[in-house]
């Protein structure tokens, strides 16, 4: 399986990153991606900031099925230099240009809580994908006049 990352510059919601899952060799069940998988690094590969939140919550871990040779994309909205009023997660980035990639990991022992009974109807028929994969890296610039973003 592979993941492709792109920045959607013409999105009505600022700082939209599109994460596309594709090139699977077999049908697999995966949890939806989370914005915290976006990693911002400097030119030397050093992580420049971590995602922060003001509160932690428990939510269902929804899943999706990726068929061989299919492509499924998700738009993630990054709350960069914004406030907690706008999103659950935020990240503070100084002015500059960064390298961004999406890191996706499903641990071997990850428990999937389904307290709202929203589990995919294919869960019993589809093996759960477990492992790590990283997307391509793209440049992203935060300018001095960078506005607060919706998340």
């Amino acid at each position: 399986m592979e993941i492709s990352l792109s920045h959607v510059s013409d999105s009505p919601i600022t700082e939209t990153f599109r994460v596309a899952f594709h090139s699977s060799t077999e049908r697999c069940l995966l949890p939806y991606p989370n914005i915290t998988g976006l990693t911002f690094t400097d030119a030397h590969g050093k992580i420049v900031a971590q995602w922060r939140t003001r509160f932690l919550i428990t939510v269902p871990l929804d899943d999706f099925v990726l068929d061989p040779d299919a492509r499924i994309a998700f738009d993630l909205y990054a709350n960069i230099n914004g406030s907690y009023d706008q999103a659950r997660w935020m990240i503070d980035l100084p002015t500059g240009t960064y390298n961004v990639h999406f890191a996706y990991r499903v641990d071997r022992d990850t428990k999937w809580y389904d307290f709202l009974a929203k589990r995919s109807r294919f869960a019993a028929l589809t093996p759960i994908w477990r492992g790590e994969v990283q997307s391509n890296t793209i440049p992203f610039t935060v300018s001095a006049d960078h506005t607060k973003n919706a998340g």
Side-chain angles (χ1 to χ4, degrees):
M1 178 182 67
E2 294 179 29
I3 296 177
S4 297
L5 176 67
S6 60
H7 180 251
V8 184
S9 58
D10 61 350
S11 173
I13 299 175
T14 57
E15 308 324 344
T16 299
F17 290 87
R18 183 161 293 145
V19 178
F21 291 76
H22 57 91
S23 302
S24 178
T25 57
E26 62 185 5
R27 180 184 176 101
C28 55
L29 188 69
L30 301 117
Y32 280 96
N34 190 306
I35 191 69
T36 58
L38 284 176
T39 304
F40 297 83
T41 62
D42 63 17
H44 304 289
K46 180 182 174 192
I47 295 175
V48 293
Q50 297 287 338
W51 289 95
R52 299 181 301 132
T53 187
R54 189 174 54 161
F55 51 91
L56 294 175
I57 59 174
T58 302
V59 295
L61 184 57
D62 291 336
D63 46 48
F64 67 98
V65 172
L66 181 63
D67 286 320
D69 301 320
R71 181 180 188 277
I72 299 174
F74 301 91
D75 285 352
L76 303 176
Y77 309 113
N79 184 7
I80 298 171
N81 301 335
S83 72
Y84 289 111
D85 296 337
Q86 298 171 338
R88 179 176 165 209
W89 293 100
M90 69 169 293
I91 193 166
D92 292 324
L93 295 173
T95 300
T97 298
Y98 302 96
N99 295 315
V100 184
H101 69 267
F102 186 82
Y104 186 75
R105 179 179 181 180
V106 180
D107 292 328
R108 186 173 58 86
D109 297 326
T110 298
K111 301 282 190 237
W112 291 13
Y113 302 99
D114 189 29
F115 56 83
L116 294 179
K118 292 180 67 178
R119 192 68 194 245
S120 169
R121 61 189 169 113
F122 299 108
L125 308 171
T126 306
I128 296 172
W129 181 88
R130 298 191 192 282
E132 295 181 44
V133 65
Q134 182 175 305
S135 75
N136 57 304
T137 300
I138 61 172
F140 176 75
T141 301
V142 176
S143 61
D145 63 337
H146 191 83
T147 58
K148 295 185 179 191
N149 304 298

